[in-house]
Amino acid sequence: DIVMSHVLTVLSSTFPEGENFFVRSVAAVRDDLTDPELRRDVEGFIGQEQMHGREHQVLNDRLAEYGYPTRGINAYVRGLYWVRERIQTKKVNLAFTAALEHYTATLAELLLTDEEARKAVGKPGARDILTWHALEESEHKAVAFDVYKAVGGDEIMRIFVMFLTDLLFIFETSVMGLISLVMDRDV
């Protein structure tokens, strides 16, 4: 499925820089946390997110060899997070992290519970990395949210940022997916 290939590639392309942003967002407030269990959860979250980013980078490099625009998407996402981290507060960055982690947890749940979703991924290698990522996402799906709440993140900001994330996620993923399709030399 050519469209699904491009959608999944676009998502994977955003992960290395996204995972790095998640790590920086949570690490930026790590010293403000007093709950020892949450601090342990943060350390596990950071380790998993760093590994996810590395593995998706390997996958993205391979996808780039097939002509997918993973490097361009990665550069765009890197710039986006660079700007965000310079103009937003730590709490807003955490709210975005919690919102995006909600998306990855939702996608993980779909992949782990729906055989058709796993089959739609296609190639066993890509399916394996996405299933592994989904399993790990389910392990720490609430950590960023818990950290956000622990440092005084309020509900109004969380709801607003989730709404904004919804709009941006749908818009940017659609635009990047369309660009990826248009650039595909086999279409």
Side-chain angles (χ1 to χ4, degrees), residues 80-142:
L80 180 67
Y81 288 128
W82 184 88
V83 169
R84 280 186 176 170
E85 289 176 284
R86 277 142 189 84
I87 65 172
Q88 295 175 168
T89 67
K90 291 177 185 179
K91 282 185 190 173
V92 172
N93 287 334
L94 273 173
F96 269 107
T97 297
L100 290 166
E101 280 287 299
H102 178 76
Y103 267 108
T104 57
T106 301
L107 292 171
E109 181 73 18
L110 177 66
L111 193 63
L112 293 173
T113 61
D114 187 336
E115 181 67 28
E116 292 303 311
R118 281 191 300 281
K119 286 179 184 175
V121 173
K123 299 282 185 184
R127 189 178 314 127
D128 291 346
I129 192 170
L130 292 176
T131 302
W132 160 77
H133 192 168
L135 285 166
E136 292 209 345
E137 283 300 322
S138 67
E139 288 179 5
H140 70 247
K141 64 184 175 186

Side-chain angles (χ1 to χ4, degrees), residues 6-16 56 60 73 107 169 173:
H6 285 277
V7 168
L8 291 174
T9 296
V10 164
L11 291 174
S12 182
S13 298
T14 67
F15 285 155
H56 275 281
N60 294 346
I73 294 169
L107 292 171
F169 182 84
T173 303

Side-chain angles (χ1 to χ4, degrees), residues 7-62:
V7 168
L8 291 174
T9 296
V10 164
L11 291 174
S12 182
S13 298
T14 67
F15 285 155
E17 289 301 326
E19 307 286 11
N20 291 338
F21 173 76
F22 299 168
V23 167
R24 290 189 304 269
S25 296
V26 171
V29 299
R30 176 177 30 199
D31 293 339
D32 299 336
L33 301 174
T34 57
D35 179 355
E37 186 174 336
L38 184 54
R39 288 177 69 97
R40 277 191 301 278
D41 289 345
V42 163
E43 295 309 315
F45 174 87
I46 288 172
Q48 282 184 327
E49 295 298 323
Q50 288 172 332
M51 186 180 302
H52 296 165
R54 283 192 305 267
E55 293 303 313
H56 275 281
Q57 189 60 57
V58 170
L59 175 61
N60 294 346
D61 290 343
R62 185 73 173 129

